[in-house]
Amino acid sequence: MESRREKNLMAEEESDGLIAARRIQRLSLHISPSLTPPPLLQPETCSARSKKLDVDGQALSLYMRGKHMDIQEKIFDFYNSRPDLQTPIEISKDDHRELCMNQLLGLVREAGIRPFRYVADDPEKYFAIMEAVGSVDMSLGIKMGVQYSLWGGSVINLGTKKHRDKYFDGIDNLDYTGCFAMTELHHGSNVQGLQTTATFDPLKDEFVIDTPHDGAIKWWIGNAAVHGKFATVFARLILPTHDSKGVSDMGVHAFIVPIRDMKTHQTLPGVEIQDCGHKVGLNGVDNGALRFRSVRIPRDNLLNRFGDVSRDGTYTSSLPTINKRFGATLGELVGGRVGLAYASVGVLKISATIAIRYSLLRQQFGPPKQPEVSILDYQSQQHKLMPMLASTYAYHFATLYLVEKYSEMKKTHDEQLVADVHALSAGLKSYITSYTAKALSVCREACGGHGYAAVNRFGSLRNDHDIFQTFEGDNTVLLQQVAADLLKRYKEKFQGGTLTVTWSYLRESMNTYLSQPNPVTARWEGEDHLRDPKFQLDAFRYRTSRLLQNVAARLQKHSKTLGGFGAWNRCLNHLLTLAESHIETVILAKFIEAVKNCPDPSARAALKLVCDLYALDRIWKDIGTYRNVDYVAPNKAKAIHKLTEYLSFQVRNVAKELVDAFELPDHVTRAPIAMQSDAYSQYTQVVGF
Ligand SMILES: Cc1cc2nc3c(=O)[nH]c(=O)nc-3n(C[C@H](O)[C@H](O)[C@H](O)COP(=O)(O)OP(=O)(O)OC[C@H]3O[C@@H](n4cnc5c(N)ncnc54)[C@H](O)[C@@H]3O)c2cc1C
């Protein structure tokens, strides 16, 4: 008879054998590209309902893939074939800047991809290119954005035919490298407060560009420190007048100012350039400071689409006020924001994929005498990563919608669409980039110590992406624009105005959603009800409508004593919550629509699962708001929580298929070739990346 000790030993050996087999199986996953997660730990609470959804991965990725996968693949193939154009982990600032310029030159002159051609005519393709190059090196994505979307975009969108004719080819082929010089040392978010001046000299038919004091030095200007030859400079247009004042300030306008010699690349007379130095991230982009001392440019260099100056100094514009012209000028620049929202989803896809794949393979602890389990089987890990995966899907569809609307706006110039896209791009840019910035830290932590190794990318992704929250409009400032727009439309509604598509729910909302929460539905807790898109969307809309109605009343009350500015500041946090709530509502509405439109039943079921998780997780995170007004009774709140956990578990079961559907190329989610060494490839096998 075997002794208890012998039995234990045999069990241990068996268990060691099992562990060894599991480890061999895991290592083999690195050789074979397909990723099969180890058997799952079935949490007891879910075991009765834990049937795995059957997902047709191919159908799902077909639905997810953008229209422009071909050009993205061409980009990946190009950089994969050129290890010399891949960014190593350790690189000095100066080398990184040179490499980044060479990466861009390679794209345009060797791979033959001409992003500028799509900026105006096919923005969807342009953003797809930006996403792909950004995944090669985020500095490259931003450098490309500075050249084509900011410098090039300002020339073609704020200028007229003469500018397009003169500059298009040079910008396109990178002969005319340029900058977008808006921000000053003392004024970033407050663009109307800029101090640089452009004074018209009627004798010489020129503008004179001046930096009146140190605070007006252009700061943070991408491409300025090393590579730029031109800058679009935003400056106050000053015209001589015959009255006692002698001059008239016509507000901020944009001017093309050459900053370096075309042949020698020397800085031109009157221009002073400083380097902004080493940054937290994006060190492949050469940010610099520009100071102008009576720099003369021809009158033609005024980008004159919204306002012009004739030979005799007369100002003309189709728009009646400085504010309208300023609005139109900034309105033309929303493309940068659209690009950042889109690119931020790309970063979220990368980091969620790395963290989830790692969590599927990594094993720690387990029941006694049994193999260790995947760390994704821990409820806490699911809680960190599964709602994030659901959000990634949600933002994917929301930004596709934004890009579609933006393209439509570029074609039609429809006034309402312009306003809609302006607020939507501000809202999505700020909401998504803030989310991604936080998610990057969560993903790093989810990969434990190995997430901290530079080869595994979280450090560079986090550092490079962080500034997405600030440039192209600080997120807190942008959310206020969304809130202001909502309030404007709220007012218009009561004055019989029209509402654009994205906002149209407000029309019904005030009557439907704000009628007292229904005490009967507040108690419904069945799964069918909680997973009904109508319940989910109603809940989001109710919250937004309520926040809007309350803040409108608060603003009215406070403005009597504090004035407009003071009242706004008194209600600022409330306004930011309102803006976020509205953006979440738009995101959910677009997600629900995307689920409905998915033609393949299996892919649709997978999308419905993540959509439900996105909606219920958001409701649960804000459950206090819903409970406070009894929109949700206590038993329903509990049911929402339980269902959210269950859905997280269900999503975990198909997490591999869900991340595979992003179809990210290997070099994006694993270390790029240039980072790999023998030690590295052994290392990845050991830790599971
Ligand atoms: C790497 C990098 C690249 C850049 N590239 C360019 C470029 O190529 N061209 C260019 O023109 N600019 C560029 N910028 C500048 C960038 O656009 C500005 O930094 C941005 O607009 C924010 O302005 P600011 O830095 O002055 O911040 P501020 O506006 O001073 O904001 C500072 C803080 O104050 C808060 N705040 C400000 N106003 C309000 C308000 N009304 N309500 C509540 N809170 C408020 C903000 O939320 C923020 O937290 C770049 C910046 C960086 C760092």
Side-chain angles (χ1 to χ4, degrees), residues 142 146 150 179-191 218-223 234 279 281-282 285 287 467 470-477 480 565 568-569 572 576:
I142 297 303
V146 169
L150 294 180
C179 324
F180 177 88
M182 182 180 267
T183 305
E184 294 174 1
L185 201 47
H186 283 182
H187 288 94
S189 302
N190 181 8
V191 179
K218 295 290 177 187
W219 206 270
W220 284 129
I221 310 306
N223 251 354
F234 289 80
K279 303 187 291 286
L282 293 180
V285 185
N287 292 91
I467 195 63
T470 302
F471 59 22
E472 295 284 340
D474 169 84
N475 283 358
T476 307
V477 174
Q480 291 178 60
F565 187 86
W568 187 268
N569 199 19
L572 195 45
L576 297 175

Side-chain angles (χ1 to χ4, degrees), residues 475-477 479-480 483 571-581:
N475 283 358
T476 307
V477 174
L479 281 178
Q480 291 178 60
C571 301
L572 195 45
N573 289 333
H574 192 155
L575 288 159
L576 297 175
T577 310
L578 164 68
E580 284 172 340
S581 173

Side-chain angles (χ1 to χ4, degrees), residues 339-360:
L340 282 192
Y342 193 87
S344 186
V345 179
V347 175
L348 187 56
K349 281 180 191 164
I350 295 170
S351 61
T353 301
I354 297 173
I356 289 167
R357 282 190 175 153
Y358 178 76
S359 300
L360 280 164

Side-chain angles (χ1 to χ4, degrees), residues 320-373:
T321 61
I322 286 187
N323 278 349
K324 288 235 176 234
R325 291 193 286 273
F326 179 73
T329 302
L330 289 199
E332 280 305 323
L333 304 174
V334 296
R337 256 169 229 165
V338 176
L340 282 192
Y342 193 87
S344 186
V345 179
V347 175
L348 187 56
K349 281 180 191 164
I350 295 170
S351 61
T353 301
I354 297 173
I356 289 167
R357 282 190 175 153
Y358 178 76
S359 300
L360 280 164
L361 293 173
R362 179 73 169 179
Q363 295 161 334
Q364 293 280 341
F365 304 104
K369 310 285 177 216
Q370 284 183 42
E372 290 181 292
V373 301

Side-chain angles (χ1 to χ4, degrees), residues 5 64 95 106 125 176 209 249 258 341 488 516 530 557 592 604 617 641 654 671 682:
R5 198 166 166 270
M64 290 291 290
D95 288 349
K125 199 165 189 167
Y176 296 174
I209 310 291
D249 180 343
K488 191 171 142 220
Q516 281 302 303
L530 298 180
K557 184 181 116 194
I592 289 171
R604 194 166 56 241
D617 178 67
H641 185 217
V654 287
Q682 281 165 20

Side-chain angles (χ1 to χ4, degrees), residues 449-460:
H450 296 301
Y452 203 61
V455 280
N456 295 325
R457 304 204 73 185
F458 292 120
S460 59

